[in-house]
């Protein structure tokens, strides 16, 4: 018998997978540090007087300060009336000689002055008793800069009798000055009412560089160093923004089954 076969199946269909997305990393922005400047003031010492000779001998000396007379005297260390070293300045009473005046300081290249010193009032307890800091910006004429008093009256700083304490007067404008001098004056009720003064420092701030420049290191720094803030993107530099997605799995479509039919 003749065996007839059914028609051959058509060719298997071709399946073309769909292309996956193109993955190109997104450029990250350039890190730009934001600098927090250190505004600490830069002071330059232009004068100091501990009322001792500069030769290291320990002997007392006014060191070019003006000697006014009887009620102003450099004294040696007795009864703890010196802050450091062996000598201090003593002002007493309230007379024309109850003053001490510094030498002249050239401040042509400065615009701000600071005076720091240590003082000890002795028997300065009456409400009328006080002492003052005067300043001359032309080398001759003096004007009151600040007052220290036993009762802290308006515009003054209250002191404690019998102990050393620090006095600081800063932000003294010397922009238009060339020669500066300072003067301490005592207003005690008698010769037993005194103020001891020691370790007088004169500092000035240069007109051209009032503050320190910023520190620009982005690395970790000590707690007292300026902090550098860096603005960063959410994605690390150079990393792709999206992860690659896998290519789709494509299964080719099966062709029709071809099974021969048997003829009877």
């Amino acid at each position: 018998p003749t065996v007839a076969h059914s028609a051959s199946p058509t060719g298997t269909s071709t399946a073309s997978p769909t292309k996956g997305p193109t993955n190109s990393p997104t450029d990250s922005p350039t890190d730009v540090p934001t600098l927090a400047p250190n505004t600490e003031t830069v002071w330059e010492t232009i004068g100091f007087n501990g009322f001792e000779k500069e030769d290291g001998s320990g002997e007392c000396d006014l060191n070019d300060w003006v000697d006014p007379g009887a009620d102003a005297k450099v004294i040696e260390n007795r009864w703890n009336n010196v802050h450091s070293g062996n000598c201090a300045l003593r002002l007493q009473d309230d007379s024309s000689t109850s003053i001490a005046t510094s030498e002249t300081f050239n401040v042509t290249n400065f615009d701000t002055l600071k005076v720091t010193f240590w003082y000890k009032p002795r028997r300065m307890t009456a409400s009328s008793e006080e002492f003052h800091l005067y300043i001359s910006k032309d080398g001759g004429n003096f004007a009151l800069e600040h007052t220290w008093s036993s009762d802290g009256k308006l515009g003054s700083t209250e002191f404690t009798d019998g102990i050393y304490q620090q006095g600081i007067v800063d932000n003294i404008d010397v922009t238009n000055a060339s020669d500066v001098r300072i003067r301490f004056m005592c207003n005690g009720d008698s010769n037993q009412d005194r103020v001891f003064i020691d370790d007088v420092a004169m500092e000035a701030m240069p007109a051209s560089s009032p503050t320190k420049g910023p520190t620009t290191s982005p690395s970790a720094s000590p707690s007292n160093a300026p902090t550098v803030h860096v603005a960063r993107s959410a994605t690390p530099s150079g990393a792709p923004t999206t992860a690659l997605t896998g290519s789709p799995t494509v299964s080719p479509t099966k062709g029709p089954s071809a099974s021969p039919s048997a003829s009877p």
Side-chain angles (χ1 to χ4, degrees):
T2 302
V3 178
H5 295 275
S6 62
S8 301
T10 58
T12 303
S13 58
T14 303
S16 301
T18 305
K19 291 182 178 179
T22 301
N23 297 286
S24 56
T26 304
D27 291 336
S28 297
T30 303
D31 293 341
V32 180
T34 302
L35 304 180
N38 181 355
T39 57
E40 180 184 348
T41 304
V42 179
W43 293 100
E44 180 178 326
T45 301
I46 61 173
F48 179 83
N49 199 347
F51 303 101
E52 296 173 3
K53 288 186 175 181
E54 298 177 357
D55 59 9
S57 64
E59 296 181 14
C60 301
D61 198 288
L62 280 170
N63 295 323
D64 296 326
W65 283 41
V66 177
D67 185 357
D71 287 328
K73 183 180 179 181
V74 175
I75 56 97
E76 292 184 349
N77 190 11
R78 295 177 183 173
W79 303 290
N80 297 319
N81 289 329
V82 169
H83 176 253
S84 70
N86 189 50
C87 307
L89 172 69
R90 185 195 70 195
L91 303 178
Q92 64 185 27
D93 202 6
D94 182 10
S95 71
S96 60
T97 63
S98 302
I99 60 175
T101 306
S102 74
E103 76 270 36
T104 300
F105 301 97
N106 188 310
V107 293
T108 304
N109 297 322
F110 304 96
D111 59 13
T112 308
L113 187 69
K114 177 168 70 172
V115 181
T116 304
F117 64 100
W118 290 85
Y119 65 93
K120 177 184 176 180
R122 184 73 182 271
R123 304 185 188 92
M124 299 270 285
T125 55
S127 60
S128 61
E129 294 182 313
E130 58 196 20
F131 73 95
H132 316 275
L133 172 67
Y134 286 79
I135 185 168
S136 169
K137 299 181 182 181
D138 60 7
N141 298 306
F142 285 86
L144 178 63
E145 192 65 37
H146 196 67
T147 296
W148 290 260
S149 65
S150 61
D151 60 357
K153 58 176 62 71
L154 184 65
S156 69
T157 297
E158 183 176 0
F159 57 64
T160 301
D161 193 67
I163 63 170
Y164 260 101
Q165 51 229 276
Q166 188 177 40
I168 301 175
V169 181
D170 56 8
N171 295 324
I172 303 172
D173 184 13
V174 292
T175 304
N176 298 317
S178 56
D179 295 325
V180 166
R181 303 175 79 184
I182 64 170
R183 171 179 289 172
F184 288 102
M185 177 183 289
C186 179
N187 291 140
D189 287 346
S190 71
N191 283 345
Q192 301 304 312
D193 303 317
R194 302 167 172 178
V195 59
F196 299 91
I197 295 173
D198 201 1
D199 297 333
V200 182
M202 299 280 289
E203 298 174 276
M205 186 165 60
S208 59
S209 56
T211 56
K212 293 180 179 178
T215 302
T216 57
S217 172
S219 59
S221 51
S223 58
N224 62 346
T227 302
V228 179
H229 301 280
V230 180
R232 297 185 183 275
S233 62
T235 305
S237 176
T241 305
T242 57
L244 296 175
T245 56
S247 300
T249 303
V250 181
S251 301
T253 307
K254 291 182 179 180
S257 300
S259 50
S261 55
S263 298

